[in-house]
């Protein structure tokens, strides 16, 4: 054997190129003992159910039951049990759809309750899976019965567990869930990611103070649960509470590692409530240097063009203290009335900002000037996505052609975009509530400007490019002006 294969690092680097092929990994594992261990580690490192563990036993030990679960047909011998244990000891992740809330595929196979009981009587979960670091509990127990669900989940707790997702079935006693949460700090102290979902949004939990001892937690995703009583979070992904509930929740957060706040609330909020919420964000993070992303969206879908929610710059000023922000998105929460002073301060406070969106579904007053937008674009050089309404009727700089001559008025928009956003490749028209139809003249002019920009950049024209729409974090369509590298949006360019 070549001396290079004496290094496990080299072996794993080589196996990375074939890890997508189960058959190739099996073949490598059968070549020699030196390669068998690393190949089997990769082969068993991640699975979406426990079925493969049972199916590695002799075929006469298991069978499909009438409900399409896998059942043990006979008791495995000690040697056969040992084979299962060895394979399970290599498992690091039990995940379905990578922690998303998409239902498992129809082909997903579960073990019967009796088979699970027999396995875990023989080997307690924490012993059977000593290397387990990420667990979607639906991969273990996806059956409707809930009487033993949390008792079994509790047995998977270990200091090495870093990511956990589980569902709270309907009818589960609240006390059982609260007892489980109370055990996390002592039994799963290294948790970094925790996702909890309740099927019908009717579960209300009181999380004990000990929950705040999960000092390594950086992601907390909560779906369909009353959030007003949680006391610790690093990512709030709630669906969908009111703004009052979101504010109450954030006021209870006392995390030094708060890195991402993502909120979708269920009904329009008045300026006072939004101000209270922004202030709660400003006070909830003990270390401003950790917060990197803020995403807030009005998910109420109230199509009322007459509803006015004026939001001046002062409401958002408390956020300027978070100097490490990379993404700030406020989607449809009101009528923004930002000013030049705020935009100039944003460029100073958030020099590394990559996404900046103040996207309104209702028209507001426009006091941000072209000069302030130019200053922002020139100082925030990492900016990739910009959605900002400003007044471009008074340009301070006339765009010029490459030869230095002033371009005609009708051609100013593409030259202006090319100068201000040197990597811009796409932009789109943004619609508001209350608009009865597409402004054909405006849309035609914008399309022409886009085509001229592509000609300036020598980019190939693709009929589909102008029709693509971007989806924000909540899945709602955001048709603001977009680009692969930079984006800008303005009502008054043309």
């Amino acid at each position: 054997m070549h001396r290079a294969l004496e290094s496990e690092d080299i072996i794993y680097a080589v196996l990375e190129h074939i890890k997508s092929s189960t058959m190739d990994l099996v073949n490598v594992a059968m070549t020699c003992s030196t390669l068998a261990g690393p190949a089997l580690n990769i082969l068993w490192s991640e699975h979406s159910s426990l079925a493969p563990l049972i199916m590695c036993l002799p075929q006469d030990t298991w069978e499909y039951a009438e409900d399409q679960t896998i059942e043990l047909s006979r008791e495995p011998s000690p040697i056969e049990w040992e084979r299962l244990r060895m394979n399970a000891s290599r498992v690091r992740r039990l995940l379905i759809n990578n922690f998303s809330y998409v239902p498992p595929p129809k082909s997903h196979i579960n073990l019967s309750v009796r088979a699970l009981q027999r396995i875990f009587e023989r080997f307690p979960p924490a012993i059977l899976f000593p290397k387990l670091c990420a667990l979607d509990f639906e991969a273990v127990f996806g059956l409707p019965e809930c009487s033993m669900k949390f008792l079994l989940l509790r047995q998977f707790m270990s200091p090495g567990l870093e990511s956990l997702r589980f569902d709270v079935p309907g009818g589960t006693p609240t006390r059982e869930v609260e007892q489980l949460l109370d055990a996390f700090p002592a039994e799963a102290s290294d948790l970094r990611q925790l996702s909890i979902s309740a099927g019908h949004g009717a579960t209300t939990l009181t999380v004990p103070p000990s929950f705040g001892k999960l000092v390594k937690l950086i992601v907390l995703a909560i779906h369909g649960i009353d959030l007003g009583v949680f006391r610790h979070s690093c990512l709030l992904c709630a669906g969908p509470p009111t703004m009052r509930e979101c504010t109450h929740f954030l006021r209870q957060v006392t995390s030094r590692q708060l890195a991402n706040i993502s909120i979708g609330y269920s009904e329009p909020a008045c300026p006072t409530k939004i101000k209270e919420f922004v202030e709660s964000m400003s006070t909830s993070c003990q270390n401003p240097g950790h917060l990197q992303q803020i995403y807030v969206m009005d998910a109420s879908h109230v199509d009322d063009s007459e509803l006015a929610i004026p939001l001046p710059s002062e409401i958002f000023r408390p956020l300027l203290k978070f100097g490490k922000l990379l993404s700030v998105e406020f989607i449809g929460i009101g009528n923004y009335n930002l000013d030049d002073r705020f935009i100039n301060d944003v460029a100073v406070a958030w020099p590394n900002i990559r996404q900046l969106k103040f996207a309104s579904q209702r028209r507001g007053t426009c006091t941000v000037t072209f000069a302030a937008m130019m200053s922002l674009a020139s100082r925030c050089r990492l900016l990739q996505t910009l959605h900002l309404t400003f007044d471009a009727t008074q340009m301070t700089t006339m765009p010029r052609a490459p030869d230095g001559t002033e371009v005609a008025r009708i051609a100013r928009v593409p030259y202006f975009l090319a100068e201000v956003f040197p990597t811009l490749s796409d932009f789109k028209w943004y619609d508001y509530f209350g608009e009865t139809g597409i402004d054909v003249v405006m849309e035609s002019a914008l399309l022409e400007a886009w085509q001229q920009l592509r000609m300036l950049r020598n980019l190939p024209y693709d009929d589909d490019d102008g029709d693509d729409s971007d989806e924000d974090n909540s899945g709602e369509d955001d048709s603001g002006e977009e680009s692969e590298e930079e984006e800008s949006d303005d009502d008054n360019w043309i």
Side-chain angles (χ1 to χ4, degrees), residues 179-393:
Q179 288 176 341
L180 176 66
L181 296 178
D182 192 25
F184 284 159
E187 299 176 13
S189 56
D190 285 351
L191 269 179
R192 298 171 60 83
Q193 178 177 343
L194 177 61
S195 301
I196 307 172
S197 174
H200 303 289
T203 303
T204 300
L205 303 176
T206 300
V207 178
S210 61
F211 196 71
K213 296 179 181 178
L214 291 172
V215 295
K216 295 185 179 181
L217 189 67
I218 60 174
V219 174
L220 172 61
I222 304 167
H223 295 253
I225 293 177
D226 183 351
L227 302 173
V229 291
F230 275 80
R231 290 174 169 78
H232 182 99
S233 172
C234 291
L235 167 61
L236 171 60
C237 185
T242 64
M243 178 60 82
R244 179 188 62 79
E245 291 170 336
C246 293
T247 302
H248 182 79
F249 170 70
L250 280 176
R251 283 175 174 169
Q252 310 306 314
V253 173
T254 55
S255 172
R256 293 186 58 82
Q257 301 185 69
L258 189 64
N260 186 323
I261 296 176
S262 181
I263 297 278
Y265 56 93
S266 60
E267 56 187 51
C270 67
T272 301
K273 295 297 183 185
I274 293 176
K275 180 180 180 181
E276 292 175 353
F277 173 73
V278 171
E279 289 174 348
S280 70
M281 280 198 290
S282 178
T283 58
S284 64
C285 183
Q286 297 178 350
N287 187 345
H290 273 282
L291 191 63
Q292 296 182 357
Q293 298 181 44
I294 296 174
Y295 180 88
V296 182
M297 177 184 177
D298 179 351
S300 63
H301 307 295
V302 176
D303 189 354
D304 183 359
S305 59
E306 301 300 321
L307 178 62
I309 306 175
L311 302 175
S313 297
E314 297 307 311
I315 286 181
F316 303 100
R317 281 198 163 275
L319 303 179
L320 294 177
K321 76 174 188 178
F322 299 109
K324 300 296 184 180
L325 278 169
L326 303 178
S327 177
V328 176
E329 298 182 69
F330 289 93
I331 310 297
I333 69 172
N335 310 72
Y336 308 106
N337 184 14
L338 308 179
D339 55 39
D340 281 6
R341 178 168 165 261
F342 177 72
I343 297 301
N344 288 328
D345 290 344
V346 163
V348 175
W350 306 333
N352 297 318
I353 194 76
R354 287 169 169 78
Q355 285 201 92
L356 182 62
K357 286 189 178 185
F358 287 91
S360 178
Q361 295 171 322
R362 303 171 181 86
R363 293 189 181 275
T365 57
C366 181
T367 59
V368 176
T369 64
F370 174 80
M373 196 284 299
M374 285 284 291
S375 175
L376 176 69
S378 63
R379 295 159 77 180
C380 298
R381 303 308 297 174
L382 299 179
L383 192 63
Q384 297 175 339
T385 303
L386 173 65
H387 189 131
L388 179 67
T389 302
F390 62 94
D391 182 358
T393 59

Side-chain angles (χ1 to χ4, degrees), residues 114-165:
R114 196 173 76 86
L116 286 172
Q117 289 175 329
R118 187 66 196 95
I119 291 173
F120 295 132
E121 285 172 1
R122 183 88 182 188
F123 305 107
I127 295 176
L128 185 63
F129 299 104
K131 297 181 180 179
L132 190 67
C133 62
L135 172 64
D136 181 342
F137 196 60
E138 295 305 299
V140 176
F141 196 100
L143 303 174
E145 297 94 337
C146 64
S147 58
M148 63 173 286
K149 185 163 190 172
F150 288 120
L151 292 176
L152 180 57
L153 175 56
R154 182 80 175 267
Q155 296 179 48
F156 276 84
M157 298 296 100
S158 72
L161 191 64
E162 297 179 356
S163 300
L164 173 64
R165 192 192 85 80

Side-chain angles (χ1 to χ4, degrees), residues 59 72 111 212 228 232 238 330 386 397:
Q59 195 166 355
L72 288 174
L111 302 190
H232 182 99
F330 289 93
L386 173 65
T397 302

